[in-house]
């Protein structure tokens, strides 16, 4: 058993779990934040993507113990003061989701992409960087459209890692 | 996933001690191979010793044409290093095409070469660059390091701390990614030294893991041009065959990827 402390969406949290507990299960079960999904058993679908110390990672392939002491952002941490994050708003405006299962991971991946590429982000890069996020519904076109729209919305400002 | 005990090491020495005290321990670097493997119950280490917080194992140092990359350096850090791009852009490009962004944020060069997956990208670069694998106890030439499928020259408890190499005059890597996994169905790293020596290292195709192709090396040493590849025969009998590609198909891919790499170098 491990007692784990980390910062999640700006709040310090701690919990007790097995050393083998995956970060995604810690987030969903110990913290009750169920926006982060599990969509596969092969580290390929990206439904579980969160940010750890400012970078996108697959929380199904990391132990909670590995993340101890880190700063985590989940999909629940993006909206501020009841206002959707520009990437969330763009997904809504451009119909970037159907069933929504992949959406939290898509949005977290998109926010990270914009952080790294800023206004240099073009369609080819978006498509290449969605390699690790699978959507069974949309056919990706509207997801790509939403991400590119969000680049303009945010002024394409590159942000330093948190 | 079976039970395990997690330990976080803050120095190489401490990691080795932790490993010595463990029953069936495994090092944990980015975890992008070992955690998925444990999740599928294909590995059950009693202890995991996390190397990700060991400062002496991180970072990229470039001194003239000598490069040293700490084993715990992530694929993303290699892909985006301006210092490395100035002397060996081929390696940055290779790292930037491993898996996806989230995998690149965690996965490390040390973990990739210790794992020696026959379809992994870094082993081809290490062999092509004639790199030295530095461990807590010795230095191993890449040519002696990769010994077979998922097999390396590492001893019990031995830690890769860094890799180092001299940058060649020209180098490039081209892979034909498996459309589903993005691992190399065949990947070729070519490097040409100032004295004209050429190395051609092939991953994803060999039934015994990464290998050098002497016929391609001879042809390209004589004539460094994509055309030089045309008359070389790649023997399919030692190549992998699976549902993705036959051995003959991979033999052809070896030539095509070599041509593309030479053209790009
Ligand atoms: C979805 C997905 C796609 C991928 N695509 C690709 C791809 O296209 N190309 C590619 O090459 N790879 C790919 N990978 C693998 C990825 O590159 C891994 O990061 C890499 O193989 C292992 O590195 P790691 O740091 O994650 O190692 P870990 O998983 O932490 O460790 C792997 C093994 O190496 C040992 N080890 C780790 N560090 C050391 C050390 N310093 N000294 C001694 N032993 C050590 C561990 O004990 C373990 O046995 C992919 C992985 C995923 C999940
Ligand atoms: S649940 Fe993490 S990649 Fe699919
Ligand atoms: S919207 Fe259904 S999986 Fe993407």
């Amino acid at each position: 058993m491990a007692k784990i402390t980390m910062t999640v969406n700006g709040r310090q949290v701690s919990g007790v779990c097995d050393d083998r507990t995956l970060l995604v299960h810690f987030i969903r079960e110990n913290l009750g934040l169920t926006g982060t999904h599990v969509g596969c058993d092969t580290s390929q679908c990206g439904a579980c993507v969160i940010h750890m110390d400012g970078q996108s990672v697959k929380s199904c392939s990391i132990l909670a113990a590995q993340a101890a002491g880190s700063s985590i952002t989940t999909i629940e941490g993006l909206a501020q003061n009841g206002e959707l994050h520009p990437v969330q708003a763009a997904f809504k405006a451009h119909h970037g989701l159907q069933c929504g299962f992949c959406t939290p991971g898509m949005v977290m991946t998109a926010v990270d992409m914009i952080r790294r590429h800023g206004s240099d982000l073009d369609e080819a890069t978006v498509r290449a960087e969605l390699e690790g996020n699978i959507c069974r519904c949309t056919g990706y076109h509207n997801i790509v459209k939403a991400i590119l729209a969000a680049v303009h919305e945010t002024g394409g400002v590159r942000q330093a890692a948190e | 996933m079976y039970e395990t005990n997690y330990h976080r090491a803050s120095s190489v020495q401490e990691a080795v001690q932790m490993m010595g005290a463990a029953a069936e321990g495994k090092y944990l670097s980015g975890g992008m191979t070992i955690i998925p493997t444990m999740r599928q119950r294909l590995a059950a280490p009693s202890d995991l010793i996390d190397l990700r917080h060991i400062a002496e194992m991180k970072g990229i140092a470039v001194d003239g044409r000598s490069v040293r990359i700490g084993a715990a350096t992530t694929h993303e850090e290699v892909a985006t290093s301006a210092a490395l791009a100035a002397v060996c852009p081929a390696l940055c490009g290779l790292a930037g095409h491993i898996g996806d962004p989230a995998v690149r944020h965690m996965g490390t060069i040390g973990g990739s070469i210790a794992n020696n997956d026959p379809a992994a990208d870094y082993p081809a670069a290490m062999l092509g660059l004639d790199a030295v694998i530095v461990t807590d106890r010795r230095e191993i030439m890449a040519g002696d390091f990769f010994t077979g499928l998922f097999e390396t020259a590492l001893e019990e408890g031995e830690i890769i701390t860094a890799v180092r190499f001299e940058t060649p005059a020209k180098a490039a890597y081209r892979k034909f990614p498996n459309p589903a996994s993005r691992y190399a169905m065949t990947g070729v790293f070519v490097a040409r030294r100032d004295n004209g020596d050429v190395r051609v290292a092939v991953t994803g195709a060999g039934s015994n893991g990464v290998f050098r192709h002497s016929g391609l090396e001879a042809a390209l040493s004589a004539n460094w041009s994509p055309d030089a590849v045309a008359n070389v025969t790649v023997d399919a009998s030692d190549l992998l065959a699976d549902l993705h590609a036959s051995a003959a198909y991979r033999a052809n891919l070896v030539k095509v990827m070599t041509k593309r790499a030479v053209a790009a170098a």
Side-chain angles (χ1 to χ4, degrees):
Chain A
M1 286 301 227
K3 176 158 196 275
I4 285 162
T5 302
M6 60 182 87
T7 305
V8 177
N9 301 331
R11 272 184 37 235
Q12 223 196 23
V13 298
S14 41
V16 175
C17 63
D18 280 349
D19 283 16
R20 64 178 158 177
T21 301
L22 296 172
L23 179 57
V24 67
H25 292 140
F26 184 80
I27 289 171
R28 289 177 55 85
E29 287 158 31
N30 291 57
L31 304 180
L33 296 172
T34 54
T36 303
H37 294 167
V38 178
C40 75
D41 202 14
T42 53
S43 308
Q44 281 171 319
C45 79
C48 63
V49 170
I50 57 150
H51 297 173
M52 181 163 88
D53 295 326
Q55 294 191 314
S56 61
V57 296
K58 291 181 164 173
S59 61
C60 71
S61 304
I62 298 176
L63 301 177
Q66 277 175 283
S70 69
S71 175
I72 302 284
T73 305
T74 69
I75 188 74
E76 289 90 346
L78 286 188
Q80 297 293 332
N81 309 317
E83 287 244 352
L84 291 182
H85 182 282
V87 175
Q88 292 175 304
F91 269 67
K92 187 176 175 204
H94 295 273
H95 200 55
L97 58 146
Q98 289 178 25
C99 81
F101 194 85
C102 69
T103 312
M106 288 287 179
V107 169
M108 297 311 283
T109 296
V111 171
D112 180 78
M113 233 184 256
I114 296 171
R115 167 184 72 79
R116 284 179 292 110
H117 296 284
S119 56
D120 296 343
L121 194 58
D122 58 12
E123 178 172 345
T125 310
V126 172
R127 289 188 182 274
E129 293 219 347
L130 285 179
E131 169 57 35
N133 292 78
I134 294 174
C135 176
R136 296 301 304 271
C137 303
T138 64
Y140 302 95
H141 289 311
N142 286 356
I143 292 176
V144 175
K145 229 197 272 173
I147 297 173
L148 291 172
V151 173
H152 299 299
E153 194 59 28
T154 53
V157 197
R158 265 204 203 91
Q159 293 150 19
E162 294 144 35
Chain B
M1 187 146 134
Y2 295 108
E3 264 183 68
T4 191
N5 296 300
Y6 172 87
H7 312 269
R8 187 176 288 186
S10 53
S11 68
V12 171
Q13 200 193 355
E14 191 188 12
V16 174
Q17 278 165 4
M18 286 169 161
M19 185 59 92
E24 289 272 346
K26 276 261 185 205
Y27 292 120
L28 170 63
S29 189
M32 291 297 103
T33 294
I34 185 83
I35 302 290
T37 311
M38 288 174 66
R39 224 175 36 201
Q40 301 196 341
R41 295 195 168 184
L42 296 172
S46 64
D47 296 81
L48 285 174
I49 293 129
D50 192 349
L51 308 176
R52 205 166 63 92
H53 299 270
I54 301 179
E56 63 197 286
M57 282 177 59
K58 290 205 233 189
I60 299 169
V62 178
D63 178 10
R65 293 177 69 170
S66 306
V67 175
R68 183 188 172 94
I69 305 177
T73 306
T74 63
H75 306 332
E76 179 70 11
E77 286 160 347
V78 172
T80 59
S81 163
L84 186 59
V87 295
C88 192
L91 197 60
C92 303
L94 175 148
H97 286 91
I98 296 176
D100 57 62
V103 168
R104 294 197 286 274
H105 286 148
M106 288 300 290
T108 66
I109 186 168
S112 177
I113 59 183
N115 194 50
N116 194 18
D117 186 309
D121 299 305
Y122 270 128
M126 295 298 100
L127 201 53
L129 291 168
D130 197 14
V132 177
I133 316 299
V134 184
T135 77
D136 59 310
R137 58 197 74 163
R138 59 185 170 144
E139 301 202 329
I140 310 168
M141 298 302 300
D144 301 323
F145 182 84
F146 302 107
T147 54
L149 298 181
F150 299 100
E151 295 284 341
T152 68
L154 289 175
E155 295 166 355
E156 274 305 289
E158 188 168 9
I159 299 189
I160 303 171
T161 54
V163 304
R164 55 181 183 76
F165 58 88
E166 297 295 313
T167 60
K170 284 175 183 294
Y173 178 69
R174 283 295 178 272
K175 78 166 154 176
F176 188 90
N178 177 312
S181 78
R182 297 285 148 178
Y183 272 94
M185 214 141 92
T186 291
V188 176
F189 195 100
V190 299
R192 183 171 191 264
R193 295 281 157 191
D194 295 320
N195 65 7
D197 279 358
V198 172
R199 280 195 170 212
V200 177
V202 182
T203 190
S207 52
N208 210 22
V210 66
F211 68 94
R212 285 171 64 189
H213 196 282
S214 51
L216 288 167
E217 290 184 355
L220 288 166
S221 301
N223 173 20
W224 177 257
S225 132
D227 303 334
V229 173
N231 298 322
V232 179
T233 310
V234 175
D235 183 3
S237 59
D238 289 335
L239 300 189
L240 284 169
D242 55 25
L243 81 164
H244 304 299
S246 66
Y249 188 78
R250 280 190 166 86
N252 190 53
L253 278 182
V254 171
K255 289 178 69 167
V256 176
M257 292 304 118
T258 304
K259 260 193 214 172
R260 288 186 188 172
V262 172

